[in-house]
Amino acid sequence: MKLGAVIITMGNRPEELRALLDSVAKQDGDRIEVVVVGNGAPVPDVPPGVRTVELPENLGIPGGRNVGIEAFGPSGADVDALLFLDDDGLLPNTDTAELCRQAFEADPKLGIITFRIADPETGVTQRRHVPRLRASDPMRSSRVTTFLGGANAVRSQVIAEAGPLPGEFFYAHEETDLAWRALDAGWMIDYRADMVLNHPTTAPSRHAVYHRMVARNRVWLARRNLPVPLVPVYVGVWLLLTLVRRPSLPALKAWFGGFREGWTTPCGPRRPMRWRTVWRLTRLGRPPVI
């Protein structure tokens, strides 16, 4: 299988970006073609052979990645699968690309692989980086219903059938939007503990827009993808979970602002999943109400 890699950068991590590119170049097997997208910023120096695209404005994470996809032809058609990697990540093992090829070749219905993210110093995988409800054992591989945005591999055929990432989301939950559409199209998603991306332990709330966009995009996610009876259930469950977690007053104010925005602003095209996909998600351990 021919692999490509899409990396978006704000240009503020030149050393980490270079280390990531070196780790991609060291992968076993055929060479991986790489595109680095400067998301509203110049791209730092990159090794020869690495293609670059510099955008005049920051299109957000999904928007930037979509530009990277199209650099490999319509829906990434010039390659069989694309790796999406955070610019401050690192592939510590040289067999990750080969494992991806083997996994995709062995299972024609496998559409997306999500890697295990581990802190480079401690080796610890944060619970939030295990994309399933039973997340206590990050070393257990399994079928899952979503994937991690900056540590994954996606067949280009999935993008052709299910569509690109939702650019209007800008940040947060864009992976689940694509995952639900891929599952509805008949594809499967695997979490693989043996495919590792090293990434420093961070809190998602470090982003100033975190609370607003998490809330807004939860509502958009439901409005775009769920059958009508499940929309208020899904949104209501996440409202209760947010209140139980007792965020700070400023965070809660930002969250409710995003929640309101999610209901009052356009969310993009609506393509509700079939009820058999709802059942499929439920059998996989995560019904689309949480």
Side-chain angles (χ1 to χ4, degrees), residues 212-234:
R212 180 175 69 85
M213 291 197 173
V214 160
R216 182 196 69 182
N217 292 357
R218 283 278 185 209
V219 178
W220 279 2
L221 184 65
R223 289 175 57 198
R224 286 165 59 97
N225 295 287
L226 292 181
V228 169
L230 295 185
V231 173
V233 180
Y234 179 85

Side-chain angles (χ1 to χ4, degrees), residues 21 59 68 158 171:
L21 292 171
L59 299 182
V158 170
Y171 166 79

Side-chain angles (χ1 to χ4, degrees), residues 2 20 39 81 83 97 112 121 157 162 179 198 200 232-233 267 269 275 281:
K2 188 175 182 180
L20 171 62
N39 214 354
L83 308 180
I112 302 173
E121 307 222 346
Q157 191 178 346
N198 280 351
V233 180
C267 61
W275 282 104
L281 287 161

Side-chain angles (χ1 to χ4, degrees), residues 119-166:
D119 184 270
E121 307 222 346
T122 66
V124 170
T125 297
Q126 292 179 272
R127 188 180 182 91
R128 69 185 181 89
H129 285 151
V130 183
R132 58 177 179 242
L133 292 180
R134 296 186 179 94
S136 59
D137 182 8
M139 301 306 294
R140 178 173 67 87
S141 299
S142 69
R143 295 280 201 205
V144 290
T145 61
T146 188
F147 63 99
L148 307 173
N152 66 77
V154 181
R155 283 190 198 263
S156 53
Q157 191 178 346
V158 170
I159 299 166
E161 291 183 11
L165 293 158

Side-chain angles (χ1 to χ4, degrees), residues 62 145-147 162 164-184 189 212-228 230-236 238 258-259 261-274 278 281 286-290:
T145 61
T146 188
F147 63 99
L165 293 158
E168 52 268 79
F169 278 39
F170 196 85
Y171 166 79
H173 304 319
E174 67 272 6
E175 304 90 354
T176 300
D177 187 88
L178 176 56
W180 283 359
R181 285 184 279 121
L183 289 162
D184 197 50
I189 306 170
R212 180 175 69 85
M213 291 197 173
V214 160
R216 182 196 69 182
N217 292 357
R218 283 278 185 209
V219 178
W220 279 2
L221 184 65
R223 289 175 57 198
R224 286 165 59 97
N225 295 287
L226 292 181
V228 169
L230 295 185
V231 173
V233 180
Y234 179 85
V235 173
W238 281 103
F259 186 79
E261 186 180 348
W263 290 110
T264 58
T265 56
C267 61
R270 173 169 165 76
R271 291 191 291 176
M273 67 177 67
R274 293 165 291 184
V278 173
L281 287 161
R286 190 153 197 166
V289 293
I290 187 170

